[in-house]
Amino acid sequence: MAGSVCFGALGFVLLFLLSTASGAEVTNLKKIIDHLQNTYGVNGQYALGINVLDTYCTSDGQLDQNFLSQDEARHVHDGMNSEEHIYNGVDLVGARPRPFGDQGFNIHSEFLLLRETNPSPMQNLLNKRKNGCTVFFTLNSPCVNTCSTPTGPHSIIEALDMFNSHNGPKAFVFNQIWHHDEGKTKWSDNILQIEKRIPVYRCNNSGCVRCVTNDVVNTWCVGQK
């Protein structure tokens, strides 16, 4: 694929560990991620951020009809398919990579939500509910070349500092590893950088796994066999 785009097995036991920063667990993360993908997912890379009442993350795990009810799927898709490729909603923000130039390059969806503007769409969302449950989801892991490396030209790492001061339950989630980064030591290093700011998980059809435990990166999160 032309350009630099931030797209980003086995059986395992579901394990949700406490957030080191907030002390609160997102106990029904898999249900939340399933809802986000099934309701707002599009073809190709995309990213979504939510900030909802913490009871949706720390109760019995039920997502009632009010969960993200003010962010209708058609409006989210319209925003992500607009010229800006961004949706700014009530409890949710979303983005798809935005093409720029004539060489097939894109501005990464994570970058659009986390740091293209100041304040960013995600920061504005966090400001609405200081103690809410926030989940940042990206279909593919943030790419090593530009996005997840602290010194990368369009790095999101520093922007993730916004989550350090957020008091509610929180999680950074990716579904699959950007295929160019599978098994890369650098991606493993970058996961640790993300973890310093917000707990990192990988979620797919099998479940969700915390990527870092006692400063050790789970090999399933980096694609190592």
Side-chain angles (χ1 to χ4, degrees), residues 139-185:
L139 180 66
N140 294 281
S141 61
C143 59
V144 164
N145 283 346
T146 62
C147 204
S148 64
T149 298
T151 57
H154 296 93
S155 176
I156 63 169
I157 296 300
E158 184 175 339
L160 294 175
D161 286 343
M162 71 178 76
F163 294 104
N164 272 329
S165 58
H166 187 78
N167 297 323
K170 51 196 171 185
F172 184 104
V173 181
F174 65 94
N175 176 276
Q176 56 200 29
I177 303 165
W178 173 227
H179 62 275
H180 290 301
D181 294 338
E182 288 186 4
K184 282 187 177 180
T185 300

Side-chain angles (χ1 to χ4, degrees), residues 13-201:
V13 177
L14 276 177
L15 180 62
F16 295 110
L17 300 179
L18 296 180
S19 163
T20 57
S22 67
E25 184 180 0
V26 183
T27 57
N28 60 331
L29 187 58
K30 180 64 165 59
K31 288 184 179 180
I32 291 174
I33 297 303
D34 285 348
H35 180 83
L36 292 179
Q37 291 192 267
N38 294 335
T39 306
Y40 305 110
V42 296
N43 291 329
Q45 166 64 10
Y46 65 96
L48 302 166
I50 65 170
N51 185 16
V52 297
L53 294 174
D54 61 355
T55 53
Y56 283 119
C57 299
T58 58
S59 63
D60 59 3
Q62 296 304 312
L63 303 179
D64 61 32
Q65 68 274 12
N66 294 316
F67 182 71
L68 298 174
S69 61
Q70 298 185 79
D71 295 290
E72 295 184 26
R74 61 189 178 93
H75 294 152
V76 177
H77 292 154
D78 285 347
M80 293 198 296
N81 290 324
S82 69
E83 184 177 351
E84 292 301 310
H85 285 229
I86 297 175
Y87 169 79
N88 283 290
V90 178
D91 296 314
L92 180 144
V93 293
R96 298 177 62 209
R98 182 199 299 160
F100 77 95
D102 56 4
Q103 302 298 316
F105 290 96
N106 291 288
I107 303 174
H108 311 165
S109 53
E110 300 96 324
F111 183 93
L112 291 173
L113 294 183
L114 291 169
R115 62 161 289 199
E116 187 193 30
T117 58
N118 186 21
S120 67
M122 192 69 219
Q123 182 66 71
N124 284 330
L125 194 63
L126 291 181
N127 291 342
K128 292 182 178 181
R129 186 178 284 115
K130 299 294 186 181
N131 298 309
C133 172
T134 183
V135 175
F136 189 90
F137 172 77
T138 176
L139 180 66
N140 294 281
S141 61
C143 59
V144 164
N145 283 346
T146 62
C147 204
S148 64
T149 298
T151 57
H154 296 93
S155 176
I156 63 169
I157 296 300
E158 184 175 339
L160 294 175
D161 286 343
M162 71 178 76
F163 294 104
N164 272 329
S165 58
H166 187 78
N167 297 323
K170 51 196 171 185
F172 184 104
V173 181
F174 65 94
N175 176 276
Q176 56 200 29
I177 303 165
W178 173 227
H179 62 275
H180 290 301
D181 294 338
E182 288 186 4
K184 282 187 177 180
T185 300
K186 191 62 178 176
W187 169 230
S188 181
D189 293 340
N190 293 352
I191 288 177
L192 292 172
Q193 290 296 322
I194 299 172
E195 176 72 21
K196 289 179 180 179
R197 295 155 172 88
I198 180 171
V200 187
Y201 298 81

